[in-house]
Amino acid sequence: MATLKEKLSELLPQKQQEIHQLLKEHGDKVISEVTVRQAFGGMRGVKALICDTSLVEPDKGLAIRGIPILDLVDKFPEEIFYLLLTDELPDKEALSSLQKDLQEREEVPSYVWDVLDTMADDAHPMTMLSTAVLVMQRDSLFAKEYRKGISKSEYWKPVLEDSLQLIARLPSIAAGIYRKRFNKGPRIEPDNNLDWAGNFAHMMGVPDPTGDFANMMRLYMVLHSDHEGGNVSAHTCHCVGSALSDPFYSVSAGLNGLAGPLHGLANQECLRFVLALKEKYNGVPTKEQLVDFAWETLNAGKVIPGYGHAVLRVTDPRFLAFRDFGLRVCPDDEVFKIVDLLFNTIPDVLKEHGKAKNPWPNVDAGSGSLLYHFGMKEFDYYTVLFGVSRSLGMLSQIVMSRGLGEAIERPKSVGTDWVKKFVGAE
Ligand code: AMX
């Protein structure tokens, strides 16, 4: 089977031709409209972006290149990266070639550690991750090639190189951040006998006598890898990349979006909520106590973290995958039990509350409890794990965008007065 680069060299011209034909024959057809509510409401549901890597159907959840995420839970994240880019899972040979390629690129330049060492002791780990990615911009091959005057049809090649470079280094960087920021001792050297996520788990140094923590990391990296193109991190990365800013600039920007409490930070908020319940009721609460606590939260004008979604209208299959893992690995863990109890309680409360369009759990409702079970109690770090995983999706989307010659983003904005006049409001 072909390597990633060979496969893309074969696929991209075909895809370009397909798009060229589509635009020529149907370029002026309308695929979406925008209501006033959507324009003021985060463009929810407006179809104005192209993303071929994955799709989130409101009633089904995430599918990567047409494969439901629950059918991919036993794959390595490297396999998912190959799938995101090429529409095919790699065979053994292509997978080991990709893994070898990543291992060869994994050394983190010393200036990255120097920069991280100068940051404040209480810097948020997401700030550290985004900064580390940004400082590596000086190594961008795309930026160098662009300056030399590379042809537009070749853009994707150095972008792929940058992407592989970044993916290869992210586990060491993220693990280094974990150990430094939370005083876990010196950095741990990578073990080249391990796969990408297994190595990440190893370098974090979380005790793992059963190997389940490494399995959890593999699952975590697969489940968070991509969620189509309109979510804040993917869209931000896409937008920045559309200015031909290189992958380092683009991913760093995407990570900053992921750091928001309504997006990637929700997993830590969610665990806080679960632990507050545990503390208040001194263990696993009863269903009635849980209902009371949920109403107290809602009546205080706060959201129930881990529930609701901008697109999904069913239980997030990624939550189900984590729940399944928890039921196998730690069914008696009190924190996990509360997560499970919440799953059986919150949807009815939110339905009665009547505001959230989706009363079901999203991916963040369960992941934190599993990390906590393995002794990773540093909540501020959880979004970093999300960020490392989501980089797979952000980077595959950028490679595709450059490969397909997408234009710089420039939607039209209008003022409130314009809207009022246009709709004939008083
Ligand atoms: N608890 C209470 N109220 C909720 C709610 C929840 N879990 N989810 C939505 N609502 C409320 C909204 O705040 C909004 O209220 P408003 O009309 O007073 O502003 C109303 O229901 C309608 O919102 P919506 O259309 O259903 O959701 P949205 O697309 O505006 O927002 C999301 C989606 C995820 C931000 C929202 O459901 C939320 O805040 N959930 C809790 C935080 C969370 O779990 N985020 C993680 C998302 C996944 C991720 O990116 N990691």
Side-chain angles (χ1 to χ4, degrees):
M1 197 174 190
T3 64
L4 197 47
K5 195 166 174 187
E6 286 163 357
K7 189 86 196 158
L8 282 167
S9 302
E10 182 191 314
L11 283 176
L12 285 170
Q14 294 166 16
K15 191 83 189 161
Q16 279 164 3
Q17 180 54 29
E18 194 188 312
I19 293 172
H20 178 75
Q21 197 63 23
L22 187 66
L23 290 174
K24 198 169 141 202
E25 289 171 17
H26 304 282
D28 292 326
K29 294 199 174 143
V30 176
I31 56 168
S32 201
E33 288 179 332
V34 188
T35 63
V36 174
R37 182 170 289 107
Q38 287 171 309
F40 279 91
M43 300 182 280
R44 200 73 85 256
V46 177
K47 296 184 193 75
L49 284 168
I50 301 296
C51 170
D52 288 322
T53 55
S54 65
L55 187 70
V56 181
E57 301 259 40
D59 60 340
K60 291 197 189 88
L62 173 65
I64 293 186
R65 293 285 187 172
I67 306 178
I69 191 68
L70 290 179
D71 293 345
L72 293 167
V73 290
D74 59 348
K75 302 289 174 208
F76 287 115
E78 301 91 306
E79 295 180 271
I80 303 297
F81 183 61
Y82 192 103
L83 173 66
L84 283 163
L85 279 168
T86 65
D87 205 3
E88 268 177 37
L89 282 160
D91 63 10
K92 231 174 146 189
E93 197 191 325
L95 173 62
S96 69
S97 146
L98 174 58
Q99 288 178 322
K100 190 162 163 284
D101 197 350
L102 292 174
Q103 276 171 5
E104 281 166 5
R105 297 162 188 264
E106 81 193 349
E107 192 174 333
V108 178
S110 60
Y111 68 79
V112 174
W113 303 124
D114 293 345
V115 170
L116 292 176
D117 283 343
T118 61
M119 293 181 78
D121 289 345
D122 61 353
H124 195 285
M126 278 302 278
T127 313
M128 297 173 83
L129 182 68
S130 174
T131 302
V133 171
L134 192 58
V135 291
M136 292 191 293
Q137 190 279 329
R138 71 185 284 279
D139 294 337
S140 168
L141 187 64
F142 174 73
K144 289 190 185 92
E145 295 288 314
Y146 186 80
R147 228 172 293 133
K148 279 194 220 155
I150 187 178
S151 136
K152 190 174 176 185
S153 63
E154 302 284 293
Y155 283 173
W156 69 270
K157 290 181 184 165
V159 168
L160 177 65
E161 291 293 319
D162 282 353
S163 301
L164 290 167
Q165 191 80 67
L166 193 42
I167 291 169
R169 291 174 181 177
L170 275 172
S172 304
I173 291 173
I177 290 173
Y178 180 63
R179 298 196 62 79
K180 176 184 158 44
R181 176 64 176 71
F182 301 106
N183 304 315
K184 299 284 176 185
R187 287 195 300 273
I188 297 172
E189 286 300 308
D191 175 350
N192 280 344
N193 294 314
L194 292 170
D195 54 288
W196 185 77
N199 209 3
F200 186 15
H202 157 75
M203 289 186 284
M204 276 187 269
V206 172
D208 189 18
T210 59
D212 281 332
F213 179 68
N215 284 334
M216 162 73 181
M217 277 305 110
R218 291 182 185 105
L219 179 66
Y220 201 105
M221 294 297 128
V222 166
L223 294 182
H224 288 83
S225 59
D226 203 41
H227 217 231
E228 63 172 53
N231 64 76
V232 168
S233 47
H235 183 202
T236 304
C237 183
H238 179 271
C239 181
V240 173
S242 81
L244 298 187
S245 299
D246 59 61
F248 296 90
Y249 278 130
S250 309
V251 169
S252 177
L255 291 171
N256 295 343
L258 193 71
L262 295 187
H263 193 13
L265 209 73
N267 51 15
Q268 75 179 65
E269 299 293 323
C270 198
L271 184 57
R272 272 208 182 91
F273 184 81
V274 173
L275 294 178
L277 266 164
K278 183 168 172 274
E279 194 181 314
K280 178 160 180 178
Y281 298 108
N282 206 12
V284 181
T286 62
K287 193 163 175 169
E288 291 67 34
Q289 288 170 327
L290 219 154
V291 169
D292 288 348
F293 193 85
W295 278 109
E296 265 172 45
T297 307
L298 292 169
N299 292 336
K302 293 189 261 179
V303 295
I304 310 273
Y307 283 74
H309 200 272
V311 178
L312 283 173
R313 296 297 175 258
V314 288
T315 295
D316 190 333
R318 300 170 301 167
F319 169 80
L320 293 176
F322 277 134
R323 179 170 176 264
D324 195 46
F325 186 90
L327 289 172
R328 266 187 292 122
V329 171
C330 54
D332 298 325
D333 182 297
E334 284 202 332
V335 175
F336 177 72
K337 276 185 164 171
I338 298 177
V339 167
D340 210 33
L341 196 57
L342 283 166
F343 178 44
N344 291 313
T345 312
I346 295 296
D348 284 342
V349 174
L350 282 176
K351 279 185 211 162
E352 196 182 329
H353 185 242
K355 266 189 166 187
K357 294 192 186 73
N358 174 36
W360 305 105
N362 59 55
V363 66
D364 293 323
S367 56
S369 71
L370 298 179
L371 296 170
Y372 197 81
H373 167 77
F374 287 108
M376 185 181 261
K377 300 193 169 169
E378 298 81 9
F379 303 170
D380 279 350
Y381 187 72
Y382 293 176
T383 314
V384 170
L385 298 176
F386 194 156
V388 173
S389 169
R390 183 52 59 88
S391 299
L392 299 174
M394 290 195 279
L395 289 163
S396 43
Q397 291 190 25
I398 306 188
V399 174
M400 294 309 290
S401 295
R402 298 293 75 76
L404 301 177
E406 281 182 12
I408 186 167
E409 274 197 41
R410 186 51 170 102
K412 174 81 185 131
S413 60
V414 290
T416 308
D417 287 343
W418 183 94
V419 175
K420 279 164 114 180
K421 203 167 153 199
F422 187 82
V423 300
E426 288 301 306

